[in-house]
Amino acid sequence: MTPLAVREVWPHNKVLKGIPASPGIVIGPAYVLGERNKVRITHNYLDSRDEVEVEIHRFRDAVAHTRKEIADIKHSITDEFQEHAYILDTHLLILQDKLLYDETIRLIQEEHINAEWALKEAVKKAQALFNRIADPYIKSRIQDVGDVSERVLRRLTGGSPLNLRNLAEPVIIVAVDLSPVDTTQMSTDQVKGFITETGGKTSHTAIMAQSMEIPAVVALEKATLEIDNGDTLILDGLNGTVVINPDANMLDIYRQRKKKFEDFKHDVGKCSFLPAITLDEHQTQVLANIEFQEEVGLALDYGADGIGLYRTEFLYLRQQQLPTEEELFEDYKTVAGMMAPRRVTIRTLDIGGDKFASHLEYAPGINPAMGLRAIRFCLKEHSIFRTQLRAILRASLYGQVRLMFPLISGMQEVVAARRILEEIKGELHREGHGFDPAMPVGLMIEVPSAVMLADLLAREADFFSIGTNDLIQYALAIDRGNKYVASMYQPLHPAVLRMIKQVVDGGHAAGISVAVCGEMAGDPLYTPILLGLGVDELSMNALAIPVVKRIVRHASMEEAQEFARQALQHGSVEEVNAYVTGVMAKRFPEVFIFGRELASAAA
Amino acid sequence: MTENLETRLPVLNRLGLHARAAAKIALLASRFQADIILERDGVQADARSILDILGLGCPQGVEVRVRAQGPEAEQAVEAIADLFWRHFGEQG
């Protein structure tokens, strides 16, 4: 092959790899929001006093317009992005910051340079200040300074504000980072995918792409440099691949993959609203985990049979003072009402004392996961606990509310918590407040000691819910955040499987149901084995519900039980992994085609 | 009456003095009749300037000195201290 031929082939099929952040495959032209699309500015020396005054006036005027522009965007932000409006407040502050505003005016006056150049110099100085910062997260905020000055420069040079509202054709947006503010300004029907250089699975970009149901790849280094405006891209949000200017052969391969995925998604989607019943008519509940009221819509859209875990920390952390009973009551009542007649499982507060400004004596400690948190904190701070219990009980009148206590380690906590609950029932009764006197009370099983006591604890509970994330961490003594041992975090560890079985057996002997609400519950690879171990309910990220329901509907309880029995025979985690993967690949190949990607993109 | 006050505060929130936290400080500082300086390892920042504060580059765990001068110095230091202790209203 001649060198010329090589050069002709070279620009095609360049493959970049990032982190998959929202499932799906799309092929289309790139729209790059990068350095090269920025305003070009020139340097002018000002000869007269008058010119200096004109430049200062121009600058002030451009800043005033920019302020209005930002305020308008803030005003137009839809409710779903409201919590991100603070970014615009930050931008307004940067706009009037002395390092940018005062400094630009000073440079115009003293250096006799035009407003554009002066602003650019001021930004450079801010950049120098930021360059010294070691913390990468704070350092990256120089981007906000860039965004703000870019807006002012556009005004100064007479350019129109960056406008993504009037995109003429469908595009894939490529950017360093995307803020929710950026997306509020896009005509979303023309945006077919996102690629960003920064971010992770839980970044704004990922969450927005998931809610818009378009594919996204994040953490793709140098994307805005490697990709040119108008390049044809293949964006694979399932495995994080981006192909730049694919040739006909590559396009063909991906068109087939795209079709296969869409057929799979369509097929799986059909299971969303069907009950999770096995071939031999054994019914399972597939529920959603939520953190905010706003996620109830997503849970219902994906066919959740209820809420298996409502994490209640958000209301306590979003504001500086403790939420009032009324605020909590309104929130729980709304969620219960929206989900009714489906059940809503509210977990009482699972945070540590160090999170509360009013209780600073509780320092975080070296190992906060094992510190004063969850039920331990609540039993020490009765007033916080009581307020929440009152709100939950009162909300129980408006739907099918269940309550559960986190991080139970032994009987004494159950007895103490239930005693307080009974007192509050008496209190509410005397005050004339209504509540569901039979509201089920469950225990979260996430501490190994609670596993050992499961048969005894079951007598004091209406249901169990196994929090596998914490349980695996405590049982195997593995900190998932520690990269040296993270690979030893193994849901199929024989000890973990035995623990789940022990909890199920203990619960069933006392006639109560057992749920799993950790990440394990939402991974379709584990669905049959959890079924076979006797788990009654699975609670997960809403996106995983259709896949998991599909597996349940295509399995029989009899085979699942045999599968679990075999898996329990193996003594090492490697053997269990090999066994489970082997059986699943044969029996449920769809799990390996797209199922895990679809379920885990949001995990 | 002019007061001159100083206190030392730990940065407790997980993300440190990032954009949102710095914005809260700058907004709060501009409400008081007082000149407020934040200092980390000898580097000073005007508490009214979000960029100055970001420029300190304070991650979780470092200590910041807050100095205020002016008629409302005491209220200003107290309010800023409160913000620090409350993790700027953030989770983690």
Side-chain angles (χ1 to χ4, degrees):
Chain A
M1 196 183 286
T2 66
L4 190 67
V6 174
R7 284 183 68 87
E8 272 170 13
V9 174
W10 177 75
H12 293 292
N13 289 344
K14 187 170 173 67
V15 177
L16 304 177
K17 195 100 171 85
I19 297 175
S22 181
I25 294 164
V26 67
I27 300 169
Y31 189 102
V32 185
L33 306 177
E35 291 289 333
R36 283 166 301 171
N37 294 341
K38 287 192 174 167
V39 182
R40 289 187 203 288
I41 61 168
T42 52
H43 177 282
N44 293 323
Y45 187 76
L46 310 176
D47 297 320
S48 68
R49 207 55 245 165
D50 283 355
E51 279 187 324
V52 168
E53 287 310 315
V54 168
E55 285 305 298
I56 292 175
H57 180 77
R58 256 184 5 103
F59 176 64
R60 291 205 165 120
D61 202 48
V63 169
H65 275 104
T66 307
R67 182 172 298 135
K68 182 163 181 316
E69 184 184 316
I70 298 175
D72 285 349
I73 299 170
K74 194 179 159 193
H75 199 69
S76 70
I77 289 185
T78 52
D79 285 348
E80 62 182 311
F81 297 131
Q82 218 25 268
E83 64 156 317
H84 304 297
Y86 85 91
I87 295 166
L88 293 165
D89 289 323
T90 309
H91 285 191
L92 287 171
L93 279 167
I94 291 172
L95 195 59
Q96 68 195 47
D97 197 284
K98 61 172 192 178
L99 296 186
L100 221 57
Y101 188 82
D102 297 5
E103 179 64 8
T104 302
I105 291 176
R106 189 191 71 77
L107 286 165
I108 298 172
Q109 276 172 337
E110 294 179 12
E111 310 283 328
H112 290 224
I113 47 176
N114 56 327
E116 290 90 339
W117 203 264
L119 176 57
K120 196 182 151 183
E121 288 296 312
V123 171
K124 260 194 206 162
K125 287 190 177 178
Q127 224 140 21
L129 176 72
F130 275 70
N131 276 342
R132 294 202 315 258
I133 301 171
D135 185 287
Y137 184 80
I138 297 173
K139 197 175 192 142
S140 69
R141 292 345 294 160
I142 187 65
Q143 218 185 300
D144 290 313
V145 179
D147 288 353
V148 171
S149 61
E150 184 69 16
R151 281 186 198 279
V152 179
L153 282 173
R154 273 177 198 281
R155 288 284 173 187
L156 280 171
T157 53
S160 53
L162 190 62
N163 195 344
L164 297 174
R165 269 187 226 274
N166 303 315
L167 292 168
E169 52 166 0
V171 292
I172 296 170
I173 301 280
V174 183
V176 175
D177 191 14
L178 285 171
S179 74
V181 180
D182 298 323
T183 43
T184 58
Q185 300 173 79
M186 291 176 190
S187 46
T188 46
D189 51 326
Q190 297 288 46
V191 174
K192 298 301 175 197
F194 291 136
I195 297 170
T196 60
E197 293 182 7
T198 59
K201 277 190 188 263
T202 56
S203 62
H204 296 314
T205 309
I207 292 161
M208 286 182 305
Q210 285 163 22
S211 70
M212 290 163 71
E213 295 198 38
I214 58 173
V217 172
V218 299
L220 198 82
E221 281 180 35
K222 296 184 181 161
T224 63
L225 296 178
E226 301 269 6
I227 300 169
D228 279 317
N229 246 337
D231 275 354
T232 297
L233 301 180
I234 295 171
L235 164 54
D236 185 340
L238 294 164
N239 62 12
T241 304
V242 172
V243 185
I244 306 172
N245 293 327
D247 62 18
N249 191 28
M250 186 70 102
L251 274 174
D252 198 46
I253 293 169
Y254 265 92
R255 286 204 183 106
Q256 283 177 31
R257 177 166 159 87
K258 180 176 157 73
K259 178 163 187 329
K260 221 167 155 190
F261 173 71
E262 277 161 10
D263 289 350
F264 175 74
K265 199 179 159 193
H266 177 76
D267 196 24
V268 161
K270 284 190 289 196
C271 292
S272 300
F273 298 97
L274 297 171
I277 298 180
T278 59
L279 296 170
D280 45 1
E281 312 225 315
H282 182 93
Q283 175 134 25
T284 301
Q285 298 286 319
V286 180
L287 312 156
N289 294 346
I290 65 166
E291 197 165 355
F292 319 102
Q293 206 187 89
E294 290 70 23
E295 289 172 292
V296 171
L298 206 62
L300 290 170
D301 287 349
Y302 281 89
D305 296 326
I307 303 295
L309 170 62
Y310 182 14
R311 303 184 171 100
T312 57
E313 292 70 40
F314 180 66
L315 286 181
Y316 290 81
L317 298 169
R318 67 160 184 192
Q319 57 194 16
Q320 302 197 358
Q321 62 278 46
L322 288 169
T324 63
E325 181 182 325
E326 286 310 309
E327 283 175 87
L328 296 173
F329 166 62
E330 284 301 328
D331 183 75
Y332 303 157
K333 179 180 145 185
T334 306
V335 173
M338 285 171 81
M339 289 304 296
R342 302 171 192 84
R343 66 184 62 162
V344 172
T345 314
I346 304 178
R347 180 182 70 184
T348 60
L349 205 50
D350 185 4
I351 41 182
D354 59 303
K355 294 285 191 298
F356 290 91
S358 47
H359 296 92
L360 284 168
E361 64 270 30
Y362 304 140
I366 288 172
N367 195 342
M370 297 189 181
L372 182 66
R373 58 171 265 227
I375 195 70
R376 306 166 183 180
F377 173 72
C378 286
L379 289 175
K380 212 169 156 99
E381 291 297 333
H382 281 200
S383 71
I384 293 175
F385 194 37
R386 283 174 171 269
T387 304
Q388 187 178 32
L389 292 179
R390 283 178 61 98
I392 295 171
L393 271 168
R394 287 174 56 198
S396 68
L397 215 52
Y398 299 86
Q400 294 298 315
V401 175
R402 302 195 298 181
L403 169 78
M404 69 181 175
F405 298 122
L407 210 74
I408 292 294
S409 67
M411 193 61 89
Q412 71 291 351
E413 288 154 346
V414 183
V415 172
R418 293 208 76 139
R419 188 187 299 133
I420 294 172
L421 188 68
E422 289 309 311
E423 282 171 24
I424 286 168
K425 284 184 183 174
E427 220 173 84
L428 289 174
H429 183 68
R430 285 191 298 278
E431 292 168 22
H433 282 299
F435 59 88
D436 171 11
M439 177 182 70
V441 177
L443 308 178
M444 280 201 69
I445 306 296
E446 32 192 352
V447 181
S449 61
V451 175
M452 301 308 293
L453 298 173
D455 56 328
L456 299 175
L457 293 172
R459 299 180 198 159
E460 297 297 322
D462 300 314
F463 64 95
F464 281 157
S465 186
I466 307 176
T468 43
N469 297 9
D470 270 344
L471 182 61
I472 297 169
Q473 154 166 310
Y474 296 138
L476 305 181
I478 292 298
D479 175 359
R480 286 175 88 185
N482 182 327
K483 63 177 179 182
Y484 302 108
V485 296
S487 65
M488 291 162 73
Y489 179 95
Q490 292 280 358
L492 292 181
H493 194 289
V496 174
L497 296 183
R498 285 173 188 227
M499 285 178 146
I500 294 172
K501 182 164 194 312
Q502 190 171 345
V503 176
V504 170
D505 291 349
H508 287 179
I512 67 170
S513 70
V514 178
V516 170
C517 67
E519 275 167 38
M520 196 176 175
D523 187 333
L525 181 64
Y526 306 138
T527 305
I529 205 159
L530 290 175
L531 275 186
L533 287 169
V535 172
D536 306 290
E537 301 173 13
L538 299 167
S539 191
M540 63 202 68
N541 184 303
L543 263 63
I545 290 173
V547 191
V548 169
K549 275 198 177 178
R550 185 189 155 98
I551 303 282
V552 173
R553 293 179 58 85
H554 286 75
S556 79
M557 196 50 163
E558 200 187 335
E559 67 169 329
Q561 281 168 343
E562 176 58 21
F563 183 38
R565 206 184 60 76
Q566 293 286 342
L568 282 167
Q569 303 294 314
H570 297 287
S572 79
V573 65
E574 290 78 12
E575 285 166 20
V576 185
N577 279 337
Y579 171 71
V580 170
T581 314
V583 173
M584 290 299 286
K586 251 186 253 146
R587 184 60 182 82
F588 298 99
E590 66 264 40
V591 169
F592 295 91
I593 301 172
F594 292 118
R596 291 192 89 190
E597 287 92 339
L598 191 63
S600 74
Chain B
M1 190 185 83
T2 292
E3 302 221 32
N4 191 347
L5 283 163
E6 179 171 331
T7 188
R8 290 159 42 184
L9 297 168
V11 175
L12 299 171
N13 61 320
R14 189 169 55 82
L15 295 173
L17 295 190
H18 62 107
R20 198 171 195 162
K24 283 189 176 174
I25 298 175
L27 273 178
L28 188 67
S30 58
R31 288 199 201 119
F32 292 99
Q33 285 185 46
D35 291 326
I36 310 160
I37 298 288
L38 305 185
E39 185 184 315
R40 178 193 172 203
D41 296 337
V43 182
Q44 298 195 343
D46 180 345
R48 287 200 185 95
S49 164
I50 181 172
L51 297 181
D52 247 6
I53 301 169
L54 287 171
L56 291 178
C58 294
Q60 184 184 36
V62 306
E63 184 187 273
V64 173
R65 282 168 187 270
V66 181
R67 269 202 306 280
Q69 201 171 5
E72 294 185 324
E74 191 177 342
Q75 294 96 309
V77 169
E78 216 163 85
I80 287 176
D82 187 57
L83 209 48
F84 271 77
W85 289 118
R86 287 175 188 271
H87 296 206
F88 305 92
E90 290 159 17
Q91 175 173 359

